[in-house]
């Protein structure tokens, strides 16, 4: 037989495109349309419905960027359509290739009842099935003219990312407003042919099944009269019944389809628009669940559920019913799908606390899975946080984007820094926007790394990013491949049902230890510096507010601000979403984030001040409040008292130019260029700075990645570098313990203050940059005379080691990595820490000196600023302030302590009495991360702590108040069975494994 595959396949494509799809709606009549453009921000539904619209016609332009237009569409169903299925086709000017990234709408009835959302892949509204004929149709569409930011020519700078700069030019053309007859037979024929055509293309050319499908398709095409598709569609479908009814092979891969719409809580749209995106999507998905009995939809991010409840109560009622019916599933148990690299320990814990508690309070549902399909890598401390929240599973997809190394598993145990393991799945479909295409399903089956040992995977199915969700076409395709030869077998299931099957299917999966590093989007550790600073500062202010408010509540009856702290925590958690904190959202998002962080800081400072004043009382004593978890200047952690005094600092001119700072423990030489050429640890007799190099060196790189400007830094950025060594000003500080350096470069300027404090083994570096560069990357380098094959960087509830070498492609790919408050390098017996108050990105490299002592230079470089132009063309322009410190001779304990200290500066005030700590721990290896009152308002004191040095620790936690009882709890402050600790009055002995996390609940007597 001649090979005519390409002939039949080309015929199928053309007939589908030009004859069959157009016949889905064989008859139509235009609707009358009028429009009212809201003058500013979106208005309440009642106001939009009541507004008097003006004229508009199909073909007219509409919609200024970020505007809202209320369309009123009216018409009458023709009498002759009686008994047929009729839909309104409402095309606002959609590009079908951009679901979630364009204009969108939510359709209402005149009484304000929501009907469904409109988006590029969902333009229909059911009027009747069947209609009686003569019905009056009146619908209202709340249409959002969101501009296209990520266009066909992506990553081009645009002013459309902020309403303040976007202008007023209409963005869209009204394309179609019709009533139309839906021919369901033709619609089903389209689905039949699409499923078979897509399946056929994925089968081997010599597979009998491929040829059987080809001949069936050919017969169906022969049965169609191209001049009467609607009259012959049923006959064509009958030719396909045989090939569509052949069951899947017993060995076929099993796919659990989960209805899904990964909605970025902010990205190429502001937070306020996400509120409406969620309403449109949930309206769609509840409607689809009513129509499709097998369909199950899962939605994560408790914040988004809360938005629906608060802003769209009419949609919320439908959501609650769908949840009760088991068709609409809360997923993930987090407040938002946050970044997991940068949020601090407590913040990461609170993501689960607030997320799980919302779903428990609203629905009585507790999630078993963390659901983070789009997050940019996963910190090594996350598994024990997940487990401590009562969750045991994790789903993500983004690791499939890694550029260099292919992750070796799809289902596995993920082990964190303390040994906790979480059952983890990466969907091999390699997308969280699966649309049930044959190519996607075949890829999932071929790509699945665990074949032969396991056979189940998950496919998040529906349009996401900007929302939209699952379509009826996806559901129809899934029905056809439920049990179809040549295809994986697909069934709609909840995340819980999938994981139960996967765990039973694969009881002993492989283990991956340590971070799940995404070999992409590394620059998100640096972009939008002020957003990152706002997050870090908010986390530490919340710690202070809880600590001092709880202490004041127990000691003085101070009213604990439960509601205020709950609200602020949720706001901070929202801004940890994986496109806000990473700096990859539009200008509008970050402008609002900066303002939000300022408001949060002012409110938290007020809470802290009020609590401290209640504790200190009236008086003239000079008190220092220490919120850090370690004693500082003689003041205990969580206490207030008078600080100890110690030796002075000297500043002397250096004969070769520059200055020498000394305070006893350290002697620091700053040369005439303002660079640190020596940092001598006098106790150890050890130089910190590598021979022939200089620290505190600012370095400037070109930074124009191949894609994803705000997200990526590509390895070739290192190929060119400018050392900023010219100095405009070098002076000794008037305080007698510092040196000030001023430099200028390009259009920017930087000033630094290098200082020592009495008796402290720490060189403080305060940097202010007036940044006006474009597509540049600014680093701060510290070349160290240190031989280390690995280094430690802080992560949640501990630290994680990475190699300093690049032996393998896995190590080489980590050329930009994340730390929290410190990076630490060590030779046996002596080490160096670099601590910070707000930066996350860094790199560590090593080189062997070819002359002199042939020793090793290990260079740590802190990432300060970038200047990408997409999606925010003004990223980071302006003034920035950073605080870092170089700590020579630091053990890991010193790195932990100094990291806390630089982030929690002392607070001073006058008062009448010292303040004793509410709780104390007698071992510095045990770090208390939270002291607060229990969220349930009982007055119990909750203390969370962990082992921070990486070894086993014994300690005694002592309550500074009488206690009636103590229990070990999970993160949600629920007692864990059989884990009540022993105690001796107010003293509670504890034993911790390396990095073990513990939460205690103390009931006051």
């Amino acid at each position: 037989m001649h090979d005519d595959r390409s002939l039949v396949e080309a015929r199928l494509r053309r007939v589908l495109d030009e004859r069959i799809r157009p016949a889905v709606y064989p008859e139509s009549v235009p609707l009358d349309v009028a429009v009212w453009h809201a003058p500013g921000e979106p208005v309440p539904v009642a106001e939009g419905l009541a507004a008097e619209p003006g004229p508009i016609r199909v073909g007219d332009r509409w919609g200024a960027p970020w505007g809202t237009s209320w369309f009123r569409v009216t018409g009458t169903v023709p009498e002759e359509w009686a008994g047929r299925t009729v839909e309104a086709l409402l095309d606002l000017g959609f590009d079908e290739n951009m679901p979630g990234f364009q204009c969108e709408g939510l359709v209402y009835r005149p009484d304000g009842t929501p009907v469904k959302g409109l988006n590029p892949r969902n333009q229909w509204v059911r009027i009747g099935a069947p209609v009686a004929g003569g019905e009056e149709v009146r619908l209202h569409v709340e249409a959002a003219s969101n501009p296209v930011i990520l266009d066909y020519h992506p990553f081009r700078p645009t002013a459309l990312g902020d309403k303040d700069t976007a202008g007023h030019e209409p963005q869209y053309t009204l394309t179609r407003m019709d009533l139309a007859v839906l021919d369901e037979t033709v619609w089903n024929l389209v689905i039949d042919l699409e499923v078979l055509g897509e399946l056929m293309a994925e089968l081997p050319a010599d597979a009998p099944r491929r040829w059987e499908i080809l001949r069936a398709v050919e017969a169906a095409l022969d049965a169609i009269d191209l001049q009467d598709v609607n009259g012959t569609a049923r006959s064509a479908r009958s030719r396909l019944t045989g090939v569509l009814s052949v069951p899947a092979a017993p060995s076929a891969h099993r796919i659990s389809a989960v209805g899904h719409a990964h909605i970025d809580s902010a990205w190429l749209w502001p937070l306020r628009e996400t509120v409406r995106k969620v309403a449109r999507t949930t309206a769609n998905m509840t409607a689809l669940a009513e129509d499709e009995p097998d369909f199950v939809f899962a939605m994560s991010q408790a914040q988004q559920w809360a938005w629906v409840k608060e802003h769209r109560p009419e949609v919320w009622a439908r959501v609650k019913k769908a949840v009760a019916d088991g068709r609409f599933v809360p997923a993930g148990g987090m407040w938002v799908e946050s970044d997991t690299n940068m949020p601090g320990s407590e913040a990461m814990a609170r993501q689960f606390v607030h997320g799980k508690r919302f779903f428990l309070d609203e629905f009585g549902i507790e999630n078993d899975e963390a659901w983070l399909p789009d997050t940019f890598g996963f910190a090594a401390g996350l598994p024990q946080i997940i487990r401590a929240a009562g969750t045991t599973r994790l789903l993500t997809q983004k690791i499939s984007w890694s550029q260099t190394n292919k992750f070796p598993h799809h289902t596995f145990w993920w082990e964190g820094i303390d040994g906790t393991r979480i059952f983890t799945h990466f969907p091999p479909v390699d997308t969280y926007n699966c649309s049930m295409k044959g190519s996607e399903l075949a890829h999932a089956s071929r790509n699945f790394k665990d074949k032969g040992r396991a056979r189940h995977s998950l496919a998040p199915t529906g349009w996401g990013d900007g929302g939209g969700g699952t379509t009826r076409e996806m559901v129809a395709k899934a029905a056809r491949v439920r049990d179809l030869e040549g295809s994986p077998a697909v069934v709609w299931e909840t995340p819980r049902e999938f994981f139960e099957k996967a765990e039973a299917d694969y009881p002993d999966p492989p283990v991956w230890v340590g971070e799940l590093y995404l070999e992409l989007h590394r620059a998100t550790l640096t972009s939008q510096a002020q957003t990152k600073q706002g997050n870090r500062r908010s986390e530490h202010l919340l710690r202070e507010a809880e600590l001092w408010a709880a202490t004041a509540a127990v000691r003085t009856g101070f009213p604990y601000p439960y509601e205020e702290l709950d609200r602020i925590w949720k706001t901070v958690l929202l801004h940890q979403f994986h496109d806000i904190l990473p700096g990859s959202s539009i200008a509008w998002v970050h402008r609002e984030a900066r303002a939000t962080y300022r408001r949060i800081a002012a409110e938290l400072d007020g809470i802290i001040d009020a609590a401290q004043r209640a504790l200190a009382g009236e008086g003239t004593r000079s008190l220092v409040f220490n919120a850090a978890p370690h004693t500082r200047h003689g003041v205990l952690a969580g206490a207030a008292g008078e600080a100890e005094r110690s030796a002075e600092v000297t500043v002397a001119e250096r004969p070769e130019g520059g200055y020498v700072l000394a305070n006893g423990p350290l002697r620091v030489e700053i040369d005439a260029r303002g660079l640190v050429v020596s940092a001598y640890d006098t106790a150890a007799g050890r130089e910190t700075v590598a021979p022939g190099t200089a620290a505190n060196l600012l370095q400037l790189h070109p930074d124009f990645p191949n894609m994803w400007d705000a997200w990526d830094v590509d390895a070739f950025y290192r190929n060119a570098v400018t050392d900023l060594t010219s100095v405009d000003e070098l002076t000794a500080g008037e305080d007698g313990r510092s040196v000030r350096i001023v430099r200028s470069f390009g259009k920017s300027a930087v000033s630094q203050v290098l200082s020592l404090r009495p008796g402290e083994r720490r060189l403080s570096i305060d940097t202010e940059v007036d940044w006006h560069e474009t597509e540049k990357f600014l680093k701060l380098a510290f070349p160290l005379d240190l031989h280390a094959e690995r280094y430690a960087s802080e992560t949640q509830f501990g630290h994680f080691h990475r190699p300093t070498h690049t032996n393998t492609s896995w190590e080489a790919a980590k050329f930009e990595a994340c730390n929290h408050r410190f990076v630490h390098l060590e030779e046996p017996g002596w080490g160096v820490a670099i601590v910070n108050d707000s930066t996350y990105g860094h790199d560590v490299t090593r080189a062997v000196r070819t002359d002199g002592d042939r020793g090793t230079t290990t260079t740590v470089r802190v990432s300060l600023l970038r200047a990408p132009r997409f999606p925010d063309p003004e990223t980071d322009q302006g003034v920035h302030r950073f605080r870092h410190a170089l700590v020579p001779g630091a053990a890991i304990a010193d790195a932990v302590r100094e990291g806390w200290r630089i982030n929690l500066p002392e607070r001073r005030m006058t008062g009448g009495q010292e303040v004793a700590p509410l709780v104390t721990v007698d071992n510095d290896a045990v770090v208390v991360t939270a002291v607060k009152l229990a969220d349930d308002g009982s007055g119990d004191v909750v203390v969370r702590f962990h082992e921070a040095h990486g070894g086993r620790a014994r300690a005694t936690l002592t309550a500074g108040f009488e206690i009636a009882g103590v229990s070990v709890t999970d993160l949600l402050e629920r007692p864990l069975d059989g884990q009540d600790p022993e105690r001796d009055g107010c003293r509670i002995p504890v034993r911790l494994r390396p990095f073990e996390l513990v939460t205690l609940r103390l009931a006051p007597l």
Side-chain angles (χ1 to χ4, degrees):
M1 180 184 292
H2 296 296
D3 186 348
D4 61 349
R5 286 176 300 125
S6 60
L7 189 68
V8 176
E9 290 165 2
R11 180 187 179 195
L12 172 62
R13 287 192 296 270
R14 185 176 186 193
V15 172
L16 262 175
D17 287 344
E18 296 185 24
R19 292 293 187 271
I20 302 177
R21 288 193 183 100
V24 169
Y25 292 102
E27 300 176 57
S28 63
V29 296
L31 288 160
D32 295 321
V33 190
V35 67
W36 175 71
H37 302 292
E41 283 293 279
V43 300
V45 173
E47 184 176 343
L49 294 174
E52 187 59 36
I56 190 172
R57 296 179 299 179
V58 169
D60 288 351
R61 301 282 290 170
W62 71 277
W66 307 112
T68 300
S69 299
W70 283 83
F71 291 95
R72 184 186 67 193
V73 293
T74 57
T76 304
V77 176
E79 298 283 354
E80 59 270 25
W81 290 359
R84 304 171 78 178
T85 298
V86 174
E87 295 181 341
L89 301 181
L90 309 177
D91 187 342
L92 301 174
F94 296 126
D95 180 338
E96 290 191 357
N97 294 316
M98 292 189 176
F101 295 90
Q102 270 212 323
C103 57
E104 300 171 38
L106 183 55
V107 181
Y108 295 89
R109 296 188 180 91
D111 64 359
T113 304
V115 181
K116 66 187 295 288
L118 297 177
N119 63 59
R121 296 296 181 101
N122 215 322
Q123 303 176 20
W124 58 272
V125 180
R126 181 63 58 89
I127 301 301
V131 296
E135 292 96 332
E136 294 297 323
V137 175
R138 184 184 181 97
L139 298 171
H140 297 262
V141 181
E142 180 191 13
S145 50
N146 301 333
V148 175
I149 307 294
L150 190 67
D151 212 334
Y152 288 102
H153 300 286
F155 319 124
R156 298 274 179 91
T158 175
L160 291 171
D162 194 327
K163 65 176 181 177
D164 291 345
T165 60
H168 304 284
E169 184 70 22
Q171 299 291 293
Y172 297 100
T173 300
L174 197 64
T175 301
R176 185 175 187 182
M177 293 275 151
D178 289 345
L179 284 178
V181 172
L182 170 67
D183 188 327
E184 295 185 73
T185 301
V186 176
W187 184 87
N188 277 292
L189 176 61
V190 169
I191 303 298
D192 291 343
L193 290 171
E194 286 182 350
V195 166
L196 291 171
E198 291 164 5
L199 173 59
M200 180 169 57
E202 299 301 322
L203 296 172
D206 58 355
R209 174 65 167 162
R210 179 164 182 163
W211 287 90
E212 290 170 2
I213 294 173
L214 185 82
R215 293 304 163 216
V217 167
E218 183 178 43
L221 296 176
D222 289 341
I224 294 173
D225 182 343
L226 298 183
Q227 279 67 51
D228 184 17
V229 172
N230 300 90
T232 56
R234 192 174 304 279
S235 175
R237 287 200 74 200
S238 69
R239 305 298 200 278
L240 303 173
T241 302
V243 290
L244 283 170
S245 60
V246 181
S251 61
H253 185 64
R254 306 296 195 221
I255 293 179
S256 297
V258 178
H260 187 241
H262 165 70
I263 303 178
D264 287 309
S265 289
W267 180 26
L268 304 180
W269 45 85
L271 288 167
R272 68 91 154 143
E273 193 55 35
T274 312
V275 174
R276 302 200 296 175
K277 284 178 174 286
V278 174
R280 297 173 199 127
T281 299
T282 51
N284 261 357
M285 296 302 94
T286 52
L288 189 62
E290 291 173 359
D291 294 339
E292 301 290 348
D294 294 331
F295 175 63
V296 176
F297 183 78
M299 189 169 89
S300 66
Q301 306 191 74
Q303 171 68 89
Q304 295 187 0
W305 293 71
W307 278 335
V308 178
K309 181 181 179 181
E310 178 183 357
H311 296 282
R312 288 291 193 270
E314 63 282 359
V315 179
W316 179 249
R318 290 167 51 173
V319 168
K320 289 187 70 175
K321 180 181 182 304
V323 172
D325 293 340
R327 312 292 303 287
F328 205 107
V329 181
M334 295 176 67
W335 190 247
V336 294
E337 290 182 13
S338 72
D339 179 81
T340 74
N341 285 312
M342 291 176 281
S345 303
E346 273 304 306
M348 201 72 253
R350 305 298 174 95
Q351 285 286 352
F352 288 91
V353 169
H354 286 282
K356 295 194 77 167
R357 189 171 287 148
F358 181 89
F359 293 141
L360 282 165
D361 291 346
E362 295 294 336
F363 307 112
I365 290 174
E366 179 154 11
N367 302 93
D368 292 323
E369 75 292 327
W371 184 274
L372 293 164
D374 193 31
T375 294
F376 308 153
F378 299 88
L382 188 58
Q384 72 164 328
I385 299 174
I386 294 173
R387 181 77 68 168
T391 297
T392 60
R393 299 150 172 170
L394 169 67
L395 179 134
T396 185
Q397 180 270 323
K398 200 71 166 193
I399 299 298
S400 69
W401 286 38
S402 284
Q403 290 177 314
T404 306
N405 298 285
K406 191 75 172 176
F407 197 80
H409 317 297
H410 281 107
T411 303
F412 58 99
W413 286 113
W414 178 29
E415 182 177 317
I417 56 174
D418 75 318
T420 296
R421 292 181 176 181
I422 296 295
F423 190 83
T424 303
H425 180 68
F426 292 170
V429 71
D430 280 352
T431 178
Y432 49 78
N433 293 324
C434 177
S435 60
M436 284 291 132
K437 286 183 180 178
S439 57
E440 294 170 334
L441 302 180
H443 176 74
S445 179
R446 287 194 296 264
N447 186 41
F448 188 53
K449 294 289 189 297
D450 306 296
K451 289 189 287 285
R453 296 184 180 276
R455 59 187 306 197
H456 286 85
S457 72
L458 185 146
T461 303
W463 300 115
D465 293 311
T470 317
T471 65
R472 61 183 178 183
E473 289 79 11
M474 297 174 193
V475 175
K477 284 187 171 185
R480 286 159 174 78
V481 296
R482 183 183 182 94
D483 188 15
L484 182 64
E485 184 186 358
S487 170
V490 176
V491 60
W492 293 104
E493 290 186 307
T494 67
R496 181 191 296 266
E497 289 169 332
F498 160 74
F499 274 111
E500 288 174 349
K501 286 184 177 179
E503 288 181 344
D505 188 38
Y506 205 9
D508 190 23
V511 178
W512 182 270
V513 178
E515 68 182 334
L516 295 171
Y517 180 91
L518 177 64
E519 296 170 359
L520 195 73
H521 294 357
R522 302 168 181 89
T524 58
L525 302 173
T526 305
S527 297
Q528 297 287 359
Q530 290 183 353
T531 298
K532 291 170 171 56
Q533 288 177 325
N535 173 74
R536 179 77 71 85
R537 184 71 178 128
S538 297
E539 290 180 354
H540 289 86
L541 285 171
L542 278 160
R543 170 193 172 86
E544 288 191 85
E546 290 182 338
L547 169 65
W548 300 123
T551 305
V554 173
R555 295 275 167 71
T556 73
F558 178 81
Y560 191 80
Y562 290 101
E563 293 182 3
E564 293 90 336
L565 290 172
D566 180 79
R567 170 176 47 78
I568 294 170
W569 262 118
K570 288 174 179 175
T571 302
V572 171
L573 299 178
L574 167 60
H575 285 80
Q576 291 177 340
F577 178 75
H578 66 253
D579 278 307
I580 303 179
L581 179 55
S584 48
S585 289
I586 56 174
W588 188 349
V589 173
H590 293 288
R591 172 172 56 81
E592 289 189 332
R594 292 190 293 270
T596 297
Y597 285 130
R598 287 193 295 270
R599 290 194 301 270
I600 286 172
E603 189 170 0
L604 290 172
D605 277 331
I607 293 171
I608 294 164
D609 183 72
Q612 289 180 339
R613 291 190 181 280
L615 287 164
E618 297 296 327
T620 58
R621 296 181 64 181
S622 178
L623 298 178
V624 175
F625 280 81
N626 175 23
H630 307 94
T631 298
R632 177 161 55 185
H633 306 311
V635 179
L636 295 175
E642 296 180 358
E644 296 174 345
R645 296 183 178 273
S646 56
E648 293 302 312
V649 178
T650 61
V651 181
E653 291 190 8
R654 187 170 174 265
E656 305 94 325
Y659 295 91
V660 178
L661 290 171
N663 68 348
L666 281 184
R667 183 179 183 275
V668 177
E669 292 190 39
I670 301 163
D671 71 4
R673 301 170 297 171
L675 303 179
V676 176
V677 292
S678 174
Y680 191 76
D681 178 353
T682 58
R686 177 75 181 257
E687 177 58 63
T688 305
V689 181
T693 69
N696 188 46
L697 173 64
L698 289 163
Q699 295 183 304
L700 193 65
H701 294 270
D703 184 20
F704 189 62
N706 290 340
M707 297 176 67
W708 301 106
D709 296 43
W711 294 257
D712 283 358
V713 57
D714 290 328
F716 55 73
Y717 88 93
R718 290 179 173 175
N719 295 351
V721 62
T722 300
D723 292 344
L724 303 180
T725 58
S726 298
V727 62
D728 300 338
E729 180 183 335
L730 180 64
T731 56
E734 294 181 0
D735 59 4
R737 62 184 189 188
S738 64
V739 173
R740 183 170 184 264
I741 307 115
V742 178
R743 309 181 193 278
S744 56
F745 57 95
K747 299 178 182 179
S748 303
V750 58
S751 65
Q752 290 184 297
V753 175
L754 277 58
S755 62
L756 296 177
R757 292 189 60 167
E760 294 187 351
R761 194 173 51 187
R762 179 183 72 230
L763 173 66
S764 295
I765 303 169
D766 291 80
T767 304
E768 180 178 295
V769 187
D770 189 5
W771 180 247
H772 297 285
E773 303 307 299
T774 299
E775 294 165 349
K776 302 290 185 183
F777 197 1
L778 184 65
K779 292 260 188 176
L780 181 61
F782 298 87
L784 308 174
D785 188 10
L786 198 84
H787 178 86
E789 294 184 357
R790 66 177 191 169
Y791 73 97
S793 57
E794 188 186 33
T795 189
Q796 293 98 0
F797 298 111
H799 56 266
F800 174 68
H801 288 97
R802 298 185 183 94
T804 60
H805 57 75
T806 55
N807 282 358
T808 71
S809 59
W810 294 87
E811 292 141 2
K814 295 184 180 182
F815 59 82
E816 185 78 5
C818 183
N819 65 277
H820 286 189
R821 286 168 291 231
F822 69 79
V823 169
H824 180 256
L825 300 94
E826 189 172 31
E827 291 178 3
W830 194 84
V832 178
I834 296 169
V835 299
N836 73 84
D837 77 336
S838 60
T839 56
Y840 295 92
H842 69 275
D843 67 83
V844 178
T845 55
R846 66 200 299 267
V848 175
R849 300 188 285 274
T850 56
D851 54 4
D853 65 357
R854 298 183 180 271
T856 301
T857 298
T858 305
T859 301
V860 179
R861 299 196 310 160
V862 176
S863 302
L864 295 182
L865 289 166
R866 300 183 68 237
R869 301 189 66 209
F870 182 87
D872 176 4
E874 300 296 320
T875 301
D876 279 331
Q877 300 300 296
V879 176
H880 303 270
R881 296 176 180 87
F882 306 96
R883 297 186 67 219
H884 294 86
L886 176 68
V887 190
I892 196 69
D894 301 302
V896 172
R897 183 183 63 253
E898 295 298 339
W900 277 102
R901 286 181 176 178
I902 199 172
N903 282 273
L904 285 167
E906 302 155 338
R907 292 179 182 264
R908 295 175 181 269
M909 67 168 51
T910 58
Q913 60 192 4
E914 293 191 353
V915 178
L918 196 59
V919 294
T920 59
V921 180
D922 63 359
N923 183 343
D924 276 357
V926 178
V927 170
V928 175
T929 59
V931 177
K932 59 190 287 292
L933 295 194
D935 291 341
D936 61 8
S938 63
D940 289 356
V941 175
V942 172
V943 183
R944 187 148 37 247
F945 53 91
H946 71 286
E947 195 288 319
H949 296 172
R952 294 183 180 268
R954 292 187 180 187
T956 299
L957 184 144
T958 303
F961 55 97
E962 295 297 319
I963 58 176
V966 57
S967 58
V968 178
T969 75
D970 65 6
L971 294 181
L972 278 71
E973 301 167 7
R974 302 174 297 191
L976 298 175
D977 292 341
Q979 296 193 30
D980 288 352
E982 298 179 0
R983 68 183 178 97
D984 178 10
C986 298
R987 295 164 52 85
I988 305 161
V990 294
R991 292 186 178 187
L992 280 76
R993 302 185 311 274
F995 302 127
E996 183 179 1
L997 166 64
V998 176
T999 303
L1000 293 183
R1001 182 169 179 149
L1002 314 177
L1005 191 62

